[in-house]
Amino acid sequence: MTETSGILKGVRVLDLSRMLSGPYCTMMLADHGAEVIKIESGTGDTSRANGPFRDDDPDHLWAGYFVSLNRSKKSVTLDLKNPNDKAAFCALVRDADVLVENFRPGVMERLGLSYEYLATLNPRLVYGAVRGFGDPRSGQSPYADWPCYDVVAQAMGGIMAITGPDAASPTKVGPGVGDIFSGMIMAFGLMAALRHADATGAGQFVDVAMYDAMISLCERAVYLNDFTGTVPGPEGNEHPFLAPFGLFGAQDGAVALGIVDDAFWRALAGVMQGDALVRDTRFSTRAARAKNRQVLNTLVGAWTAQYTKAELTQKLGGLIPYGPLQTVQDMIKDPHVAARNMLSTIANPDNPDRPWRVASNPLRFGAAPLPTPASPPKLGADNDRYLTPAPPPSMSDQDKKALREAFGSFATGITVVATRQADGTRRGFTANSFTSVSLDPPLVLICIAKTALSYEVFRASACFSVNVLSDAQRDISQIFASQAANKFDLGRWSNGTAEMPVLRDALANFICQRENLVDGGDHVILIGRVLDMQSQQGAPLGYFKGNYFSVGLDQPLISAVAKSGTVKLGGVLSRDDEVLLKIAGDGSCSVPLAPTDDSRLIALVARLAAAGLEADLSVLYSVYQENETGLHGIFYHGSVTGDAPKGYGYFKISKLPLDRITDTAERSMLARYAHEASQGNFGIYQGDQSSGTVHRTVGREPSKL
C-alpha cells in the first residue's frame, strides 16, 4: 500500500461521480494527497470508454480522458442496487470524510442512499452534489430533472452568447468550462465544509449547479447589463472598454496585448513610434483609448504585423502585458511550463517505457509540495483493500448441526472459567474453547457465547480464573454447564490472586487479567494476561464429539468415537521378535481381544492378566470402522511378558500365520505390522476395514496417541 502525501493527506473521499465535473473536483483533491476512492459500476466510468486511446493500448483500457482526470485515485466496483454491495458502500461511508456525486436529483434517494440517511451513518460526512440545475435542497429549479452536459450549461449560462467573432456566431469555449469550473467551485465548497465539520463535528450537504457556475463565470455580462442597460454580445478578441486589448496579427501568427493603464500604453507607444505617439491626445488616457479603440487597434495591428512573434517577444516581453498565441505544442516547449512543472508524467502500468503526460494541478502550497501523481486505477483494482467481503449465505439448521459435529472432531480439555462480581458473587461457566496464546507476554484465551447467562459479567470483569479439570471432575464440568444456582458448592474452591475463585483439585489454575476483548461472531474472545498459575500431575478430562473421555488407559479417547456403535478392542502384543495370538479350537487365530461386553482397554489388560500374562498397551496402532456394520475396531500395540497360556501362542513376526487370521481387518493389520517391523518404522492406521491412511512415525516403536 502506497502512502499518500500532500496537504490533504488523511482526507478520505468517496467519488461516485462520472465524466468531467465531479471527477475534475476529486482530481483536485487527489492531486494534493486526499485518498479518493472511485466507486464504479461493473462497466466503470463512462469516460473509460470515450477515448482517445494510444497505439500501445490495443485493448482500449486507458482512455486519455480517464487517465487525465483519475490519476492518483483508487477504484472499487459496487452495484448499489445489490443489498450486499449497498452494505459494503455504507461501511465505506462510515469512515469517509467526503462524498461526491453528479447524478440527477433523486437517484441516490431511490437507491435508499440519500444524504439524510448517510448522515445517520456518519454525521461528519460532507456530501457534495454537482448537478446541471442544482439540488432541490438549495432551491427547486424548473429544470431540476433535465439532464445536462457542458455545452448545455455554456449555452444557458450566457458564456456562449458573449464568445465568438460576432452576434451571429455564438461559440462554445473550447475546454469544458461548464464542467471544470463547476468542479473547481465544488472543491472549494468541500474544503470549506470540511473546515466547518472539523470545528463543529457536523457535516453538511454542498450543492453546485453547472448553470449557476456559468452565471458566476459570466459576472461581467451581468453587471454590464445592470450598469449600461445593454445586452453584451460576442466581441471577438477585443474588449468593449479597453484598447489595445486582444489579439493582434504577426507575420507568423498572433500575439496578445492587454493594455489597461496609462503607464503600459506609454511603454508600448514608445516602442512603436516614440514620443509622438505618446503625446497623441486621442490615446493618452484610458477613456480616450476606449473612445478611439477601433482606430487604435488598427494602428497597433498594422505595427505588430511587421514582425514575427519571436521579434515581438524580444521587443515587448516583460515590458507590457504581452504573450504570443501558442498551440499546445508551443506550450509544451515553453520554458515556463518546465519551470513550473505544469506537465506531469504518470506511470503507465501496462507500458512502463511510455508514461502518460497530463496537465498538472495549478494549485501550489508553500509548506506542502505537490505530490507526484500516481497511475489511475484499473477498474475494481482496490476491491480487496476497501471492500468487506459479502457475508456467506445463512446456514440451515441442518448445516449448523453438521458444522457443530465437525467442530467436535477436535478433542479438547475441559475448563471452568470463574470470576467474582463487584458484590462478591462468584460466577462461572464450563468451557472447552481454551488455549494458550503467547508465552511472552503470557496470554491465554477463552471463548464465551454472547447468549450465555454470564456473558455480560465476564465481558465487564477485569480478572478471571481458568481451572483445567481432571478426569475425576466430570460432575463439576456438568454443573457449571447448567443453570444451577449453587455451582460453587461442588468442589473445593479457594480465593487466589485478585480474589479470583480457584478450584483446588484442578490440574492447573490460571489467574488472568483481561487483556483484550475480540468480537468473534456469536462469541466473544476473551484474552487474558496470566498473573498467577499453578499445576499438578493427573489425567485430564477430555471432550470429543459431545462426549467426555479420560486420557487414561481405562477410558481412552477413542471410546468416544464408538459411542453409537459396537466396539472391538484388541492389542498387537510383542515379545522380542514374536507376536502373541489367540488360537481358536478350529485353529484360526486372532489378536487378543477385550470381552465383548466390556470393550475397554483395562478389561483387555485384566483378561490377559487372568491368563498369566502382563501386558503394557499404551500405544495406538489402528482405528477403523466397518462401513456395513458400524463396528469400530480399536487396536493398540505394546509388549507382553509371560508364557503363552492355553488358547494362546507366540509366532515369529516374520512368519505370522496370516492364512489362519479369519478377520480381514486383523489380517491386513498384522501383515502391515510384519512389514513395518522389518523396516523399523511404524505408523497409525485410520480408515475403514479395507482402506485408510497410515500416519507414519519415525523410530522402532509406534508413536503414542
Side-chain angles (χ1 to χ4, degrees):
M1 180 173 69
T2 303
E3 287 290 335
T4 60
S5 59
I7 200 168
L8 296 181
K9 180 180 180 181
V11 176
R12 174 173 283 191
V13 180
L14 303 183
D15 183 7
L16 284 82
S17 65
R18 304 163 297 166
M19 297 298 288
L20 181 53
S21 61
Y24 191 92
C25 166
T26 55
M27 178 203 77
M28 295 289 292
L29 308 181
D31 280 347
H32 285 284
E35 181 186 26
V36 177
I37 305 170
K38 193 172 179 68
I39 311 294
E40 302 184 75
S41 67
T43 56
D45 187 336
T46 308
S47 65
R48 288 184 179 271
N50 281 0
F53 302 95
R54 292 200 322 195
D55 58 6
D56 61 347
D57 181 20
D59 296 329
H60 288 183
L61 298 178
W62 302 109
Y65 194 157
F66 182 84
V67 168
S68 178
L69 295 172
N70 293 282
R71 69 259 191 145
S72 301
K73 299 180 184 179
K74 313 299 181 184
S75 171
V76 300
T77 52
L78 291 172
D79 177 3
L80 297 183
K81 297 179 181 179
N82 179 286
N84 289 333
D85 284 11
K86 186 183 296 186
F89 172 73
C90 290
L92 289 174
V93 168
R94 290 184 176 94
D95 293 327
D97 300 293
V98 174
L99 183 150
V100 179
E101 52 99 343
N102 59 352
F103 301 125
R104 290 162 69 179
V107 171
M108 293 293 281
E109 284 75 10
R110 289 191 292 274
L111 291 170
L113 298 171
S114 67
Y115 162 70
E116 288 75 16
Y117 171 69
L118 298 181
T120 66
L121 306 179
N122 181 359
R124 293 178 56 88
L125 182 68
V126 174
Y127 187 115
V130 182
R131 314 205 194 284
F133 302 97
D135 189 273
R137 294 173 177 86
S138 305
Q140 182 68 51
S141 170
Y143 317 122
D145 295 328
W146 290 18
C148 184
Y149 283 107
D150 169 72
V151 67
V152 176
Q154 286 200 38
M156 295 184 69
I159 194 169
M160 289 176 65
I162 59 174
T163 305
D166 51 55
S169 307
T171 302
K172 184 181 81 69
V173 177
V177 293
D179 286 300
I180 292 174
F181 192 60
S182 301
M184 294 180 70
I185 293 175
M186 176 55 74
F188 167 79
L190 296 175
M191 293 300 98
L194 271 180
R195 186 177 184 277
H196 180 267
D198 288 340
T200 66
Q204 60 186 292
F205 190 90
V206 183
D207 173 25
V208 173
M210 294 170 63
Y211 187 179
D212 297 352
M214 292 299 92
I215 295 172
S216 176
L217 191 61
C218 295
E219 50 80 32
R220 190 177 73 188
V222 174
Y223 77 72
L224 283 176
N225 178 259
D226 179 57
F227 276 62
T228 68
T230 61
V231 178
E235 298 159 355
N237 295 317
E238 297 182 357
H239 194 284
F241 305 118
L242 300 173
F245 196 103
L247 280 183
F248 297 86
Q251 289 184 358
D252 54 352
V255 296
L257 304 178
I259 304 301
V260 176
D261 59 34
D262 296 341
F264 284 136
W265 164 246
R266 289 192 293 271
L268 174 61
V271 174
M272 290 175 59
Q273 297 182 12
D275 291 344
L277 188 56
V278 171
R279 291 192 299 268
D280 194 323
T281 57
R282 294 176 299 170
F283 314 126
S284 58
T285 66
R286 180 190 297 181
R289 292 191 296 274
K291 182 180 179 180
N292 299 287
R293 62 187 181 94
Q294 291 185 347
V295 174
L296 179 56
N297 286 337
T298 300
L299 178 65
V300 172
W303 179 78
T304 59
Q306 303 175 63
Y307 305 99
T308 64
K309 289 190 294 183
E311 291 170 336
L312 290 169
T313 300
Q314 190 69 29
K315 292 176 179 293
L316 302 178
L319 181 67
I320 62 170
Y322 160 88
L325 177 65
Q326 298 188 142
T327 64
V328 66
Q329 204 62 37
D330 298 324
M331 180 192 70
I332 290 171
K333 299 175 183 177
D334 194 313
H336 165 93
V337 175
R340 297 282 296 176
N341 293 316
M342 274 307 300
L343 295 176
S344 292
T345 297
I346 300 176
N348 181 346
D350 293 338
N351 189 353
D353 294 332
R354 288 191 66 189
W356 298 300
R357 183 177 63 215
V358 298
S360 296
N361 194 305
L363 180 62
R364 309 297 167 84
F365 298 94
L370 187 68
T372 301
S375 302
K378 291 187 176 180
L379 184 62
D382 302 284
N383 285 0
D384 290 344
R385 176 177 174 184
Y386 291 106
L387 299 184
T388 303
S394 299
M395 298 181 68
S396 66
D397 291 343
Q398 185 176 358
D399 289 338
K400 291 178 181 178
K401 182 180 179 181
L403 180 62
R404 188 178 296 110
E405 291 178 352
F407 283 157
S409 298
F410 181 66
T412 67
I414 302 290
T415 71
V416 168
V417 186
T419 190
R420 189 180 298 276
Q421 301 181 102
D423 63 359
T425 306
R426 295 176 295 182
R427 298 290 295 272
F429 67 95
T430 299
N432 69 327
S433 53
F434 165 75
T435 188
S436 60
V437 176
S438 168
L439 290 176
D440 186 14
L443 301 176
V444 299
L445 69 79
I446 285 286
C447 297
I448 179 172
K450 295 178 180 178
T451 56
L453 294 176
S454 55
Y455 166 70
E456 293 296 340
V457 172
F458 280 88
R459 183 180 176 87
S461 295
C463 295
F464 59 92
S465 70
V466 182
N467 305 274
V468 181
L469 302 186
S470 72
D471 60 357
Q473 294 173 321
R474 185 180 305 183
D475 53 347
I476 295 177
S477 170
Q478 290 173 330
I479 195 169
F480 274 89
S482 73
Q483 298 184 19
N486 58 343
K487 297 177 181 180
F488 287 89
D489 292 348
L490 190 63
R492 298 194 300 161
W493 293 87
S494 61
N495 294 334
T497 302
E499 297 298 307
M500 289 297 104
V502 172
L503 182 60
R504 293 173 58 184
D505 299 327
L507 291 185
N509 311 103
F510 304 94
I511 297 177
C512 307
Q513 176 180 305
R514 187 183 69 197
E515 184 82 2
N516 198 5
L517 281 171
V518 181
D519 190 280
D522 59 6
H523 282 63
V524 165
I525 303 169
L526 175 58
I527 300 175
R529 181 186 289 261
V530 178
L531 303 177
D532 197 4
M533 58 83 60
Q534 59 183 9
S535 64
Q536 59 184 340
Q537 296 296 318
L541 178 63
Y543 197 72
F544 182 71
K545 284 190 174 292
N547 299 283
Y548 292 103
F549 68 86
S550 300
V551 182
L553 295 180
D554 60 334
Q555 184 67 27
L557 167 64
I558 293 300
S559 67
V561 178
K563 180 185 178 185
S564 62
T566 304
V567 175
K568 180 169 72 172
L569 189 144
V572 181
L573 292 159
S574 64
R575 185 185 68 177
D576 298 326
D577 61 347
E578 298 176 319
V579 172
L580 179 71
L581 298 177
K582 185 171 175 50
I583 305 172
D586 62 359
S588 62
C589 300
S590 69
V591 300
L593 300 173
T596 55
D597 61 350
D598 191 0
S599 30
R600 298 180 301 158
L601 189 57
I602 193 171
L604 172 58
V605 174
R607 169 180 275 188
L608 293 170
L613 298 169
E614 183 177 350
D616 181 8
L617 287 166
S618 59
V619 179
L620 186 66
Y621 189 61
S622 183
V623 181
Y624 67 87
Q625 179 178 356
E626 293 185 0
N627 295 329
E628 294 183 0
T629 65
L631 180 143
H632 291 83
I634 303 170
F635 294 85
Y636 287 81
H637 169 256
S639 61
V640 63
T641 58
D643 295 332
K646 185 178 180 180
Y648 291 85
Y650 287 102
F651 297 85
K652 291 285 187 182
I653 296 176
S654 59
K655 297 181 179 180
L656 290 175
L658 299 179
D659 59 327
R660 296 166 56 185
I661 308 295
T662 57
D663 186 275
T664 302
E666 290 187 31
R667 183 166 61 247
S668 175
M669 177 181 65
L670 288 170
R672 176 170 69 90
Y673 182 84
H675 175 72
E676 290 179 342
S678 68
Q679 301 294 317
N681 188 358
F682 289 83
I684 301 173
Y685 176 87
Q686 182 180 8
D688 58 30
Q689 78 276 12
S690 58
S691 63
T693 301
V694 177
H695 304 279
R696 292 294 177 190
T697 60
V698 179
R700 181 65 179 81
E701 294 294 327
S703 63
K704 297 190 178 201
L705 177 63

